[in-house]
Amino acid sequence: MLQKIRNEWKTIVQNQIDEMAKGILGEGADVPELTIQVPPKPELGDIAFPLFSYAKVLRMAPNKIAAALKDNIESLSDKPEGELILAGPYLNVKIDVIALADVLYKTIKENGSEFGKNKQYDGKKIMIEFSCPNTNKPLHLGHMRNDSLGMSVSSILMANGADVQRVNLINNRGVHICKSMLAYQKFGNGETPESTGMKGDHLVGKYYVKFAQWEKEDDTAVDQAKAMLVKWEQGDEEVLKLWKTMNGWTLDGLAESYKKTGVSFDKYYYESETYKLGKDKVLKGLEEGVFYKEEDGSVWIDLEDINLDKKVVLRKDGTSLYMTQDIGTAISRHDDYPFDSLIYVVASEQQYHFKVLFHILKSLGYTWAKELYHLSYGMVNLPDGKMKSREGTVVDADELFDSLASIAKKEIQDKERENQVDGLDKTSEAIALSALNYYLLQVSPTKDMVFDSKKSISFNGNTGPYLQYMGARISSMVRMFEEQKDEYASIEFDSKYLTQPEERELIKSIALYPEIVEKAGKDFDPSVICSYLYDLTKLFSKWYHDNKILKAEDKNVVVARMGLSSLVLQTIKNAFPLVGVTFLESM
RNA sequence: GCGCUAGUAGCUCAGCUGGAUAGAGCAACUGCCUUCUAAGCAGUAGGUCAUAGGUUCGACUCCUAUCUGGCGUACCA
């Protein structure tokens, strides 16, 4: 909406510049394209056109160009609503916000939850892979960033018109899986999640830790684990039985964590089922000369010409590697769901892996390989440094979630709002989840971040709970307004009663929302939406604090302000799910 | 060594594909609850945007070099 207004003005100004250039330089002058900016202060208008770059072409000082343009444009009979402002070398426009508010009101009332969506990826099939846990331990904070990103980006893509398929790849085979199995076999005494009351993934994780301890005392431990893997690959009944049992425990536990944190997938892939698929493709590629064989029998690809070194794709004993399996998985995925694009949400430490993977798939002749994208995200560190499993500083996902929820719960109780909220536990968990998602998503994905659990649970400032609180405040007003509806029955929303400076800013901010969704979709970046939401709610908060809404004296003003509030409400309701924030009617 | 990536206020982060005095939050200090939920609002203080050059009318933004940190460079995943 704002975009449209900006472009209208741009066309007008650009045309005038072209005219001036023609007058001075004659036909065919090379005139640079106009850039559009936002003035730093509201008093300076809403749209800015810097004119520096025309000084040389037109042989005039930018201020004079601005003045001349202003005169010329004002004399035009056909121009958009708005007012031109001279600001030195800038020509600015103050748009007609009242008119914008009317359009906005109509649009949002008509479109409701559809407001903000666009067709950028209309008809595109996009597959997105994320989470990809191992079945030897529970989820930790690192997975949570991955999951938050995966869920958020896929929601954002849907809002941009894409047909999205969320997939998970369960890493359920390998030596590391055998380690927890072996430790359980040796020290488990037949424990089960039922007998211990432990969540399955935590129970398995306990034996993974146990293995690490045992490994220090017995140097045959790793060899025993490797031997177990061989047995597993040979289909040894006893090993498979244990594997199935323990995998089941972990997967049950993971399912519970996913459910709690609102993570879901359209399809699960299991490494145990896909690891052999890549092998055939590699052998075929070997025949075609994409790969070569070393004397020891291992298969390689030489990527030195593109600065990616040499990479092994099949072990000398013929078994598959991570790379082998990923080749197969990608191919089978494209068979399952012929995507236009596949996004891998994987930590930045695997950038090299994906460069190589994508290159290999291209070399094997898959044309869709150029549509593969590694959404690389940075590490989650702690205020004291890195998370290290050896030092026991890894933040467990379930524990973190539960502790956040209990803090939220206490807060509700302290404020004596148990009866106001829709279920104490339900609300506390919704607050905890939103706090977590928002904290993880507000940082640009590519950057490493510091996760301070103390700050994450703080409900002040730029946090999920703050956003939820604003949503709840507006909802509360809307409810009260509904109760007194009869008093206002004869009054229509009229934007001309929105005269406060904050109201101007609010209207502009709401109008910006569709562009924000588009940008987030284009960049695969949820943090864009986070910043936007915080700006919008902060703006609302100030306005709401300084002005009476429901209790304004003039009923026309009440209706206009409630109308504006409802637009803010609809906008944040639409934006919240894109960044994993739960909307609460009351908190 | 080589490759990738980052370095903005004490801390955590923004900074719109170069533009008008670099913005928030937290922490610190200070105001504001007989008034629509104070999980709030406002104010004060805090910066030679790692350093040095370069390109440009103009650089936090682009280029080069240097310093510092992270990651990778496994027949682990």
Side-chain angles (χ1 to χ4, degrees):
Chain A
M1 240 160 282
L2 270 180
Q3 213 160 15
K4 195 180 150 217
I5 298 173
R6 279 198 296 263
N7 285 334
E8 280 171 10
W9 278 103
K10 183 185 169 183
T11 308
I12 299 230
V13 177
Q14 182 82 63
N15 284 344
Q16 288 306 310
I17 292 172
D18 291 348
E19 285 298 314
M20 282 171 73
K22 210 190 285 176
I24 296 170
L25 306 166
E27 289 288 344
D30 189 18
V31 183
E33 197 186 325
L34 199 59
T35 52
I36 307 180
Q37 280 166 3
V38 180
K41 280 182 164 183
E43 307 90 87
L44 293 169
D46 309 301
I47 311 171
F49 297 107
L51 301 165
F52 304 95
S53 55
Y54 301 101
K56 245 181 200 169
V57 190
L58 302 177
R59 271 169 269 157
M60 264 170 100
N63 331 24
K64 291 197 171 170
I65 301 175
L69 284 172
K70 181 169 183 273
D71 288 346
N72 292 352
I73 293 169
E74 276 170 353
S75 68
L76 292 175
S77 54
D78 183 31
K79 61 177 187 334
E81 293 294 321
E83 182 195 335
L84 291 168
I85 299 171
L86 277 182
Y90 294 86
L91 179 62
N92 293 358
V93 180
K94 190 166 186 173
I95 62 173
D96 183 354
V97 174
I98 297 303
L100 177 62
D102 284 333
V103 177
L104 212 49
Y105 188 81
K106 195 160 165 275
T107 307
I108 294 179
K109 291 297 165 194
E110 272 172 18
N111 296 324
S113 62
E114 294 298 303
F115 171 64
K117 294 188 181 173
N118 69 75
K119 305 272 185 195
Q120 181 175 193
Y121 295 124
D122 200 21
K124 293 275 183 217
K125 287 176 176 301
I126 303 181
M127 184 180 262
I128 177 164
E129 175 199 277
F130 61 99
S131 205
C132 305
N134 293 334
T135 52
N136 59 358
K137 55 187 171 191
L139 301 176
H140 60 71
L141 185 51
H143 294 109
M144 295 186 116
R145 188 177 194 189
N146 186 309
D147 292 343
S148 291
L149 271 172
M151 288 304 293
S152 174
V153 169
S154 51
S155 305
I156 290 169
L157 292 174
M158 285 186 232
N160 281 274
D163 178 1
V164 175
Q165 179 90 349
R166 292 173 169 140
V167 299
N168 195 354
L169 176 64
I170 304 291
N171 185 333
N172 61 353
R173 56 146 238 126
V175 185
H176 52 300
I177 304 299
C178 291
K179 285 180 179 174
S180 48
M181 286 162 62
L182 191 58
Y184 177 80
Q185 218 173 36
K186 286 198 122 44
F187 312 109
N189 295 320
E191 278 187 358
T192 64
E194 291 74 28
S195 76
T196 56
M198 274 177 94
K199 217 161 141 271
D201 49 340
H202 289 264
L203 182 64
V204 174
K206 178 179 148 190
Y207 286 99
Y208 188 65
V209 173
K210 188 91 191 166
F211 181 90
Q213 291 163 353
W214 174 52
E215 186 184 12
K216 284 178 201 157
E217 296 154 16
D218 187 340
D219 50 17
T220 66
V222 175
D223 287 337
Q224 290 188 48
K226 280 181 182 165
M228 191 181 238
L229 179 63
V230 173
K231 276 190 174 177
W232 182 89
E233 294 205 354
Q234 288 165 348
D236 181 277
E237 233 170 83
E238 198 188 338
V239 172
L240 279 182
K241 196 179 158 208
L242 180 63
W243 174 76
K244 276 182 190 157
T245 304
M246 291 182 71
N247 257 290
W249 292 345
T250 311
L251 291 174
D252 287 347
L254 293 179
E256 206 181 299
S257 301
Y258 282 150
K259 196 179 169 196
K260 239 186 199 174
T261 51
V263 175
S264 65
F265 301 91
D266 297 302
K267 191 170 167 67
Y268 278 75
Y269 286 83
Y270 298 88
E271 230 192 280
S272 57
E273 291 165 10
T274 64
Y275 80 106
K276 283 178 183 161
L277 298 172
K279 209 165 140 179
D280 298 340
K281 300 295 173 184
V282 168
L283 292 174
K284 206 170 148 224
L286 183 63
E287 283 170 28
E288 290 162 0
V290 174
F291 308 109
Y292 68 92
K293 205 171 211 165
E294 280 290 341
E295 282 176 13
D296 65 3
S298 55
V299 178
W300 295 71
I301 186 160
D302 186 346
L303 300 169
E304 282 184 336
D305 53 331
I306 53 164
N307 231 356
L308 287 177
D309 248 315
K310 286 177 181 158
K311 189 78 191 168
V312 63
V313 291
L314 215 53
R315 288 195 186 98
K316 67 181 167 204
D317 62 6
T319 57
S320 298
L321 288 137
Y322 177 40
M323 185 63 75
T324 330
Q325 168 248 305
D326 249 4
I327 293 168
T329 308
I331 293 166
S332 68
R333 277 179 181 164
H334 191 266
D335 290 342
D336 292 348
Y337 180 84
F339 53 76
D340 295 297
S341 181
L342 168 55
I343 299 168
Y344 292 87
V345 182
V346 182
S348 58
E349 53 194 2
Q350 290 187 36
Q351 280 183 45
Y352 174 70
H353 171 80
F354 283 102
K355 273 187 192 168
V356 174
L357 174 65
F358 298 166
H359 188 84
I360 289 175
L361 288 164
K362 270 180 214 157
S363 303
L364 289 171
Y366 296 99
T367 49
W368 45 261
K370 64 177 190 303
E371 308 301 340
L372 302 176
Y373 182 83
H374 175 203
L375 175 52
S376 154
Y377 65 90
M379 309 263 101
V380 183
N381 298 317
L382 301 173
D384 306 331
K386 297 194 60 174
M387 277 198 278
K388 284 179 184 156
S389 49
R390 253 177 277 154
E391 290 164 27
T393 55
V394 174
V395 178
D396 178 75
D398 293 320
E399 275 175 29
L400 177 60
F401 181 83
D402 290 344
S403 83
L404 294 179
S406 72
I407 288 163
K409 189 171 174 176
K410 187 169 178 299
E411 190 77 24
I412 295 169
Q413 287 168 331
D414 287 351
K415 294 188 181 301
E416 298 178 350
R417 291 190 61 83
E418 291 107 306
N419 298 326
Q420 265 75 47
V421 299
D422 177 23
L424 180 58
D425 287 330
K426 193 177 145 195
T427 305
S428 322
E429 290 186 6
I431 293 171
L433 181 58
S434 304
L436 199 52
N437 279 331
Y438 188 80
Y439 195 91
L440 292 169
L441 293 172
Q442 71 188 130
V443 181
S444 302
T446 53
K447 291 196 173 177
D448 286 0
M449 68 178 287
V450 174
F451 186 90
D452 186 337
S453 58
K454 279 195 195 114
K455 281 186 181 154
S456 80
I457 60 177
S458 157
F459 297 150
N460 295 320
N462 186 4
T463 65
Y466 173 83
L467 302 179
Q468 291 178 301
Y469 177 60
M470 284 305 140
R473 295 285 298 258
I474 303 173
S475 301
S476 167
M477 277 199 308
V478 169
R479 280 195 299 274
M480 283 184 246
F481 183 65
E482 289 296 314
E483 281 166 19
Q484 332 164 353
K485 212 175 178 179
D486 295 345
E487 284 182 50
Y488 301 96
S490 59
I491 302 170
E492 291 280 313
F493 170 82
D494 188 342
S495 58
K496 78 165 183 272
Y497 292 98
L498 300 173
T499 52
Q500 299 294 318
E502 289 96 339
E503 287 160 357
R504 255 190 88 85
E505 295 308 305
L506 270 173
I507 292 162
K508 273 161 58 187
S509 182
I510 297 164
L512 196 63
Y513 179 62
E515 287 172 49
I516 295 295
V517 176
E518 195 177 336
K519 183 173 164 46
K522 204 173 130 215
D523 298 346
F524 304 155
D525 186 356
S527 74
V528 171
I529 291 178
C530 292
S531 319
Y532 169 78
L533 271 173
Y534 185 59
D535 287 345
L536 177 63
T537 47
K538 202 164 51 138
L539 206 52
F540 176 83
S541 191
K542 181 175 163 50
W543 172 63
Y544 157 92
H545 184 267
D546 296 348
N547 297 279
K548 290 190 167 77
I549 314 289
L550 266 178
K551 297 188 174 174
E553 298 198 354
D554 185 340
K555 286 189 178 180
N556 288 299
V557 173
V558 172
V559 171
R561 288 182 178 172
M562 277 312 298
L564 180 57
S565 300
S566 72
L567 299 188
V568 174
L569 185 62
Q570 185 67 57
T571 305
I572 64 175
K573 268 188 179 174
N574 293 358
F576 276 7
L578 303 185
V579 288
V581 173
T582 313
F583 173 76
L584 295 172
E585 288 284 347
S586 183
M587 67 185 279

